[in-house]
Amino acid sequence: MATIGSALRGATLAITRSRTAPRVVTASASKYFSTNPHVVVDKFVSSPPPTSSSPNAEALRHPNDVHDRNANYSDEDSRSMAGVTASVRHNWTKQEIAELYSLPFHELMYRASTVHRMYWDPAEVQQCTLLSIKTGGCTEDCSYCSQSTRHKTFVKPTPTMKVQEVLEAAKRAKDAGSTRFCMGAAWRELGNKKNAFNHILDMVKGVNGMGLEVCCTLGMLNAEQARQLKEAGLTAYNHNLDTSPEHYPNVITTRTYEDRLETIANVRDAGISVCCGGILGLGEKDTDRVGLLHVLATLPEHPESVPINALVAVEGTPLGDADADEDTASDGIADVDAFDMARMIATARIVMPRTMVRLSAGRLSFSEAEQFLMFQAGANSIFNGDKLLTTDNPAFDADTALFQKLGFVGKPAHAGPRVAPTEVTGEVEITQVKGMEQQYA
């Protein structure tokens, strides 16, 4: 890979940029290729498709499966538009990410917004609904969580919901415009909960049968449990890393960072889309935010979606009590503003350009204008509905009105994202790299 990367840099310098014809390798590169027969670099701009006479013509879409989408672009090296170049990489260094994160805000926003438009249709935003199917009673000691048995909060443990109750909630979410239904259970792990797991498999099958995409967050999973969830029709699995490996022990001690990474690997190996992100406001430093993004951006596959949460401090939790104590320095606990969120989202968008970035918990504390700032930074997914597990969230009607105000449309269920309009119209320049054997096979 290092040899190909070095060769690509040399070839790219030898190529004259051309926007006059699509899919053309200019003659100035021929000398380079004659001495490097194993690499072909093809720099082109897309040809606009024939226009449809129907005003309701369906937008061009990528495959729905994230693995199929990535396979379509396996020979793509980079995209360029308006002076910004981006690529899907897995070899980011912390220093590179830190330099992006620390850019002047106006420059970071410009780059992230441009990258967003190179890879996505900025008008399309996925709407997800999250339901707590088993609330409270968790044995973990996550210092932010109201559902831990170790903290005295307003949450009272409840048994796992009945399958029919969950399906009725999923129908209400679908009727309100949601296209992905997520189910969360306050467990450390599924373990040997066979009856509960069988009920969850039935829930997954039932929600999938409604035409909704299905996501679960159930704690740690082994490889066999991940396989069964995939067979039942699970679309995605959420398992957040929360923060950097360095700050993580300050937040939770009952589960290791490696435990979380193992679950993510089991999910990925089962062919389930990975949803994995973190929380701002846990007392972390900017270096920890960079550290979290570095872990995500150097995974073998970038997550399909990365939720960015702002801590909702809950009385009775260690972080909630620290935030409420006026005599104690907060040290960044729950001290998250719209600029923090936008900076994190923008950096995530640049280092993981094909990943969906989800504006998640804490959204209720931001104005509509502040939320728009986050969409401009590259967010293209939200949780809707008035609850996120146990914390408040904007109601369905409020989000519908916001979408209309901003000109957004929801992403349909079981349909891939729209192809970026800039790709359709030829505004973005795409560089491809292929091995000779692969190209002419």
Side-chain angles (χ1 to χ4, degrees), residues 73-365:
Y73 292 96
S74 60
D75 59 355
E76 180 179 305
D77 176 71
S78 63
R79 295 188 168 207
S80 299
M81 186 177 74
V84 176
T85 298
S87 61
V88 178
R89 295 172 46 192
H90 301 268
N91 62 345
W92 289 95
T93 66
K94 282 188 180 180
Q95 181 62 32
E96 288 175 314
I97 298 175
E99 289 173 358
L100 288 171
Y101 183 88
S102 302
L103 283 171
F105 189 74
H106 68 88
E107 178 64 21
L108 177 60
M109 287 292 291
Y110 172 72
R111 293 194 195 185
S113 183
T114 304
V115 171
H116 190 46
R117 282 157 175 76
M118 282 196 278
Y119 288 87
W120 300 87
D121 182 342
E124 185 172 66
V125 177
Q126 182 191 52
Q127 299 174 87
C128 311
T129 298
L130 178 60
L131 175 70
S132 179
I133 61 171
K134 193 275 177 187
T135 303
C138 181
T139 58
E140 299 276 29
D141 68 352
C142 304
S143 55
Y144 55 82
C145 186
S146 62
Q147 302 195 65
S148 172
T149 57
R150 300 162 189 254
H151 313 323
K152 294 182 179 180
T153 70
F154 68 92
V155 174
K156 304 301 179 187
T158 61
T160 305
M161 292 176 65
K162 304 296 184 183
V163 174
Q164 189 57 40
E165 292 176 323
V166 172
L167 297 184
E168 289 171 359
K171 184 179 184 304
R172 290 193 297 271
K174 181 179 180 180
D175 291 343
S178 188
T179 57
R180 177 174 286 192
F181 190 74
C182 306
M183 298 176 286
W187 288 320
R188 167 183 164 79
E189 59 187 340
L190 270 171
N192 294 318
K193 302 176 181 68
K194 294 183 179 180
N195 287 338
F197 187 44
N198 286 333
H199 290 156
I200 288 171
L201 293 176
D202 288 339
M203 294 174 192
V204 171
K205 293 173 185 176
V207 175
N208 187 49
M210 293 181 183
L212 288 168
E213 296 176 2
V214 197
C215 176
C216 283
T217 177
L218 310 169
M220 292 187 290
L221 286 183
N222 61 39
E224 174 59 21
Q225 290 163 339
R227 184 193 65 77
Q228 291 183 56
L229 285 167
K230 172 66 175 179
E231 284 187 356
L234 191 70
T235 308
Y237 193 85
N238 168 260
H239 201 63
N240 287 338
L241 292 174
D242 291 346
T243 187
S244 69
E246 293 78 13
H247 187 57
Y248 182 85
N250 299 322
V251 179
I252 176 174
T253 65
T254 51
R255 185 192 317 183
T256 68
Y257 213 78
E258 289 71 26
D259 288 337
R260 291 181 184 257
L261 290 172
E262 183 178 354
T263 290
I264 291 168
N266 288 336
V267 169
R268 183 176 61 242
D269 292 346
I272 299 169
S273 295
V274 172
C275 171
C276 182
I279 307 171
L280 305 190
L282 302 178
E284 76 282 354
K285 308 299 183 186
D286 284 345
T287 52
D288 295 307
R289 295 175 184 180
V290 168
L292 170 62
L293 291 174
H294 178 253
V295 174
L296 295 172
T298 55
L299 289 172
E301 295 177 10
H302 290 168
E304 182 234 14
S305 56
V306 170
I308 304 296
N309 301 272
L311 176 67
V312 179
V314 177
E315 183 179 355
T317 65
L319 289 179
D321 290 345
D323 178 59
D325 188 350
E326 296 180 356
D327 297 326
T328 304
S330 67
D331 292 327
I333 295 171
D335 185 18
V336 178
D337 62 23
F339 292 100
D340 293 321
M341 290 290 288
R343 187 173 288 278
M344 189 70 171
I345 289 167
T347 309
R349 170 52 64 224
I350 294 171
V351 299
M352 294 174 283
R354 290 200 182 279
T355 289
M356 198 165 286
V357 182
R358 184 167 297 119
L359 180 52
S360 301
R363 190 160 62 90
L364 190 63
S365 64

Side-chain angles (χ1 to χ4, degrees), residues 350-394:
I350 294 171
V351 299
M352 294 174 283
R354 290 200 182 279
T355 289
M356 198 165 286
V357 182
R358 184 167 297 119
L359 180 52
S360 301
R363 190 160 62 90
L364 190 63
S365 64
F366 299 112
S367 69
E368 290 184 344
E370 289 174 326
Q371 291 181 57
F372 178 67
L373 180 69
M374 298 170 204
F375 289 122
Q376 284 293 94
N380 57 350
S381 178
I382 62 168
F383 278 118
N384 58 14
D386 58 2
K387 284 286 184 184
L388 288 185
L389 297 180
T390 62
T391 60
D392 291 335
N393 196 55

